[in-house]
Structures are given as structure tokens and as C-alpha cells.
């Protein structure tokens, strides 16, 4: 941390991650400024000013553990917000919230360019609209909730429905065709997941075009609260200074909100709805409004969002969803049925799913798929009570095609190949449309449902069906 001010204070109170520091009256640091604690520990302790208690006292939130800190320790003001290293030197590295390397590699150079983690969002007049599709190779996402390049997309789901797996697969699928920079923000996630991601990126050879920034689950709330801004600052540098497209992946944005709630409570603020911080909307907006396309270069955000108790009306979930261009909802019911990825085709949506953007063929196919599956779900109660035989012939046909569509929209992932033994599939959008159209018009009505489960293109289902016929005909 570079020191640009000589103002010094002393610690007068320590309450966990909240530290009160006394300064001379005429040298009080500004809100948002970084303070460096000059204590006797090996690790540097950085505070961020969050409140002015009186004309000579500030209250700061620690970004590292404060065990061993006592009153009377000298604190030095930096005169600026937290500044993190940016540029080509951070590519291939794993950093913490203050920009220190945490991958057991060499330390970053001291003369590296640095940027403040707090900066204004690009003006509205300089922004470029997000109208280009970011093709992922994941059938259900490309068909029903296409991701916008230079926009914001998120996967919503409760615990254990596959959010992180989908994010990992998106990383794996995009590195083959995506030539920009990838920045991954691990917000409040497990150390194991961070280690697995680092190992996977090294193995696939994409680490040299990626930056990993982690504020882990065991770190203080201040680190988890600010690590998203650190990752965003690095992404903005490559967008604005290098004019490169950046893919920003954040897992998990709910932990950012959760950390802000912890900080708010520690600062003594009265809670708002459901116990969340009163500044929930402004904190989420401050993060998301900086994600934008400007001057031909874009930051594309793909986020994972935990939904507490599967309650999609939770204030944190609604606050985040209001900023998104593409919403991918993961269903626990579908996950329980083994339909992976467990993307709910009826609740997922995207602003790009418009005939003027994706074209008439894509739009009509997506709407027909949704309509067919929606009709099937309306009939499920009748089927459960009376049996499918009580339906009309047309409804039975709709149910059969909907069940085939649901299975066709599943696919094996490359990141799960080690566990399932099934190689991953990446499917071009044209193949996805071709398969769905064939099922909708009845070309596959005689095929077994199992032929469509966990495949790539429709050709694989046809090959399965061809192999199954001789076996069925054998005595």
C-alpha cells in the first residue's frame, strides 16, 4: 500500500473487524480512504474509513484479521482509497482484496501501476448497448436466455443446484473461442473451490489470460465486501487502458451482500427489511453500474447468486436481478430429476431474446419450446391424479414432445467429466435450433425419451436410437 499522506493516528478501540482511530482534528481522513496499521505482525493490516464519529475520530473496517491488535498502535493515513495493482503483471496470478499475490508465486513489482477500487461508473453517453450475443455452447442458455456481450447475466439458485458448476463450465467453454481477458472474483467462497479453479485454469492453459481475485469465506467481512470492487477495478483497467474485452465472473454475489450486511451491523446501523443493511440497493448499484461497454471494449459479467431458502422474493435477490440483462434460474425440482444443467426454461429470460436481435427463427423456436413445456407443466397435476391416458390425443402428443425437449436441453459438462466419465459437449446454436425444431414438428416422436438425455446435438440421439433398434429386435 503506497503512502501519500503523513497523517497519523492511534487505535482507541478494537471490536472485531471494526476499529476506531483518533487523528488530529485538522487531519481527519476522508470516508473511503485506506489506513495502514503499523503493528508488529508480518501481515499488513489495512482499514477503510466508514464513518466520522466526531471531529477527531474515524471508524474503519479491517480487510484482514485483527487478532493481536491493541489500543495505542500507530495508524497511518494514505490519503487515498485502497489502490490495487493492475496491468499485464497481474495476469496469471491469484490476488487478495488489497492486490497481494496469494498463489505462492513471486511478489508483484513495487512499481506496478495501481488504481483505486472506488471510481465512478462510465457516463451514460459513453456506453455502448449490449446487443451482441455471447454464445456459450450450453444449449438451454443459448436458446432461452442468451448472454449479452458487454452486459450482465446471473445464475440464481439455492444451495446445491449447480451454480458454481455452470460458472466453471462457462469458463471452460469460453476460453476456446474467447480471446479477451478473464477476471474471476471469488466472493465468500470456499478455499477448496479456489484451489480447484486455479488448478483447472493451469491445466487448460488459460491462466496466462486470467486474473483470480479471492476474498474467501474464512476472511473478515470487509475483505468479502470489497473483493468484488478489486476484481472490477482490474477489469476496468484492461477495458479502458488496453481496450480489451473482459469477461468478469463473480461467484457468489449474494456473499457480497451478506458481507455488507455484516459490516453494516458492526458499524451499528439499524437493519432494514429481513435484516439486510439499509444501504443494500445503493451497494448493489455501485457494483453493477460500473459493468459496461465503452469505446468498443466491453466488460461482460456472469454472476452466480445464491438464493437463501429458495426464496426468490428475498430483498438481496430482487436488488441484484433489477440490474441484469439475462436471468438464468436454476430449479431444485429439475436438479432432483437429474436434468442438468437445471435451468428452468420458464423462469429464465434475457433482453436479447427479441426477433430484432436474435432473428425470427431463434425467437419463434424459443417461444415454441417455452409454450410446449409450459403446457406440459399445466397438465402435470392431471397426469399425477388420473394418468396420462385420460388426456386427449393432442395433449398426450404435447407431453411427449415436452419431455423430449426437457431431456434434449440437458448436456454433459467438461468440468464434470472426471466424476461422470462422460465427455463434455459444446453445441453450436444452429445445432440447438435444429434439434428443437425437429422435436417440435414431430420428427422424433417415435424415438425413446432416453435417447435425448445428456447428449450434444440431435445426431447423437439419432445414433443412440439406431443402436437401440437392433438390440430391441434381437430375440
Amino acid at each position: 500500500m503506497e503512502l501519500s499522506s503523513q497523517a497519523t493516528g492511534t487505535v482507541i478501540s478494537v471490536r472485531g473487524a471494526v476499529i476506531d482511530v483518533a487523528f488530529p482534528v485538522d487531519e481527519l481522513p476522508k470516508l473511503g480512504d485506506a489506513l495502514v496499521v503499523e503493528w508488529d505482525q508480518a501481515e499488513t493490516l489495512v482499514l477503510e474509513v466508514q464513518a466520522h464519529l466526531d471531529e477527531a475520530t474515524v471508524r474503519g473496517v479491517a480487510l484482514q484479521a485483527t487478532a493481536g491488535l491493541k489500543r495505542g498502535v500507530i495508524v497511518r493515513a494514505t490519503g487515498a482509497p485502497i489502490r490495487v495493482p493492475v496491468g499485464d503483471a497481474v495476469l496469471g496470478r491469484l490476488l487478495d482484496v488489497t492486490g497481494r499475490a496469494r498463489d505462492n508465486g513471486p511478489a508483484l513489482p513495487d512499481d506496478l501501476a495501481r488504481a483505486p477500487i472506488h471510481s465512478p461508473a462510465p457516463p451514460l453517453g459513453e456506453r455502448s448497448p449490449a446487443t451482441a450475443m455471447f454464445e456459450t455452447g450450453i444449449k438451454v442458455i443459448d436458446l432461452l436466455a442468451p448472454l449479452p456481450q458487454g452486459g450482465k447475466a446471473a445464475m440464481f439458485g439455492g444451495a446445491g443446484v449447480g451454480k458454481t458448476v455452470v460458472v466453471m463450465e462457462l469458463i471452460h467453454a469460453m476460453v476456446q473461442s474467447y480471446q479477451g481477458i478473464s477476471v474471476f472474483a471469488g466472493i465468500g467462497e470456499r478455499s477448496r473451490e479456489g484451489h480447484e479453479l486455479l488448478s483447472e485454469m493451469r491445466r487448460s492453459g488459460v491462466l496466462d489470460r486470467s486474473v483470480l481475485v479471492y476474498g474467501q469465506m474464512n476472511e473478515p467481512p470487509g475483505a468479502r465486501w470489497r473483493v468484488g470492487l478489486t476484481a472490477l477495478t482490474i477489469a476496468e483497467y484492461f477495458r479502458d487502458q488496453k481496450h480489451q474485452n473482459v469477461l468478469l465472473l463473480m461467484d457468489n454475489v449474494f456473499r457480497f451482500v451478506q458481507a455488507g450486511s455484516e459490516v453494516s451491523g458492526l458499524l451499528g446501523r439499524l437493519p432494514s427489511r429481513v435484516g439486510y443493511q439499509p444501504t443494500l440497493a445503493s451497494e448493489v448499484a455501485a457494483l453493477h453500474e460500473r459493468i459496461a461497454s465503452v469505446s468498443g471494449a466491453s466488460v461482460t459479467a456472469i454472476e452466480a447468486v445464491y438464493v437463501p431458502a429458495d426464496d426468490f422474493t428475498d430483498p438481496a435477490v430482487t436488488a441484484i436481478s433489477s440490474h441484469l440483462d439475462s436471468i438464468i434460474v436454476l430449479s431444485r425440482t429439475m436438479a432432483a430429476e437429474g436434468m442438468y444443467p437445471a435451468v428452468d426454461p420458464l423462469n429464465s429470460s434475457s433482453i436479447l431474446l427479441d426477433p430484432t436481435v436474435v432473428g425470427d427463427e431463434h425467437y419463434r423456436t424459443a417461444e415454441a419450446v417455452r409454450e410446449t413445456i409450459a403446457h406440459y407443466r399445466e397438465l402435470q397435476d392431471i397426469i399425477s391424479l388420473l394418468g396420462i391416458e385420460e388426456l386427449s390425443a393432442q395433449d398426450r402428443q404435447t407431453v411427449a414432445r415436452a419431455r423430449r425437449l426437457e431431456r434434449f436441453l440437458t448436456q454433459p459438462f467438461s468440468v464434470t467429466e472426471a466424476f461422470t466419465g462422460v465427455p463434455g459437449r459444446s453445441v453450436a446454436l444452429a445445432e440447438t435450433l435444429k434439434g428443437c425444431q425437429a422435436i417440435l414438428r414431430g420428427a422424433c416422436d417415435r424415438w425413446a425419451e432416453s435417447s435425448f438425455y445428456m447428449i450434444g446435438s440431435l445426431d447423437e440421439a439419432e445414433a443412440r436410437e439406431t443402436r437401440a433398434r437392433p438390440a430391441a429386435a434381437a430375440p
Side-chain angles (χ1 to χ4, degrees), residues 11-20 45 66-73:
V11 174
I12 60 173
S13 173
V14 180
R15 293 185 306 282
V18 174
I19 315 296
D20 291 349
L45 176 59
T66 59
L69 180 62
K70 53 186 180 290
R71 289 180 293 176
V73 173

Side-chain angles (χ1 to χ4, degrees), residues 271-356:
S272 183
R273 279 199 308 154
V274 198
Y276 285 110
Q277 61 269 44
T279 53
L280 170 64
S282 59
E283 286 177 12
V284 171
L287 179 71
H288 284 87
E289 286 305 302
R290 288 169 61 181
I291 302 170
S293 301
V294 294
S295 305
S298 64
V299 174
T300 304
I302 299 175
E303 309 168 7
V305 183
Y306 168 70
V307 179
D310 291 344
D311 179 13
F312 285 88
T313 64
D314 185 88
V317 175
T318 56
I320 294 167
S321 63
S322 64
H323 293 273
L324 301 174
D325 303 311
S326 181
I327 295 174
I328 301 165
V329 177
L330 299 180
S331 162
R332 186 171 301 281
T333 303
M334 294 186 67
E337 293 173 354
M339 300 293 180
Y340 290 108
V343 176
D344 189 331
L346 303 184
N347 291 320
S348 301
S349 62
S350 170
I351 62 166
L352 291 192
L353 198 58
D354 185 283
T356 59

Side-chain angles (χ1 to χ4, degrees), residues 200-258:
E200 172 67 24
M201 285 190 155
R202 278 181 177 150
R203 188 163 49 248
S204 58
V206 299
L207 190 60
D208 59 343
R209 289 189 284 117
S210 307
V211 186
L212 308 182
V213 188
Y214 268 86
Q216 296 174 141
M217 193 177 284
N218 62 326
E219 295 188 50
R224 290 178 270 122
W225 190 37
R226 289 307 188 211
V227 71
L229 298 183
T230 299
L232 185 52
T233 301
I234 295 170
E236 286 173 331
Y237 173 84
F238 285 107
R239 180 195 67 191
D240 298 335
Q241 305 302 321
K242 297 285 189 176
H243 305 291
Q244 291 177 287
N245 291 334
V246 183
L247 179 63
L248 176 64
L249 300 122
M250 292 191 279
D251 186 7
N252 186 301
V253 179
F254 176 78
R255 306 293 178 201
F256 160 75
V257 173
Q258 198 173 42

Side-chain angles (χ1 to χ4, degrees), residues 140 144 329-337 339-348 368-385 388 391 395 398-403 405-407 409-410:
V140 65
L144 299 176
V329 177
L330 299 180
S331 162
R332 186 171 301 281
T333 303
M334 294 186 67
E337 293 173 354
M339 300 293 180
Y340 290 108
V343 176
D344 189 331
L346 303 184
N347 291 320
S348 301
V369 167
R370 276 212 179 100
E371 184 180 343
T372 303
I373 294 175
H375 190 45
Y376 165 49
R377 294 192 177 174
E378 289 171 0
L379 297 170
Q380 278 183 322
D381 286 344
I382 298 174
I383 296 170
S384 299
L385 291 170
I388 196 168
L391 300 178
D395 281 347
T398 300
V399 168
R401 291 176 183 176
R403 289 176 62 84
L405 284 169
E406 285 185 336
R407 282 151 183 77
L409 293 178
T410 64

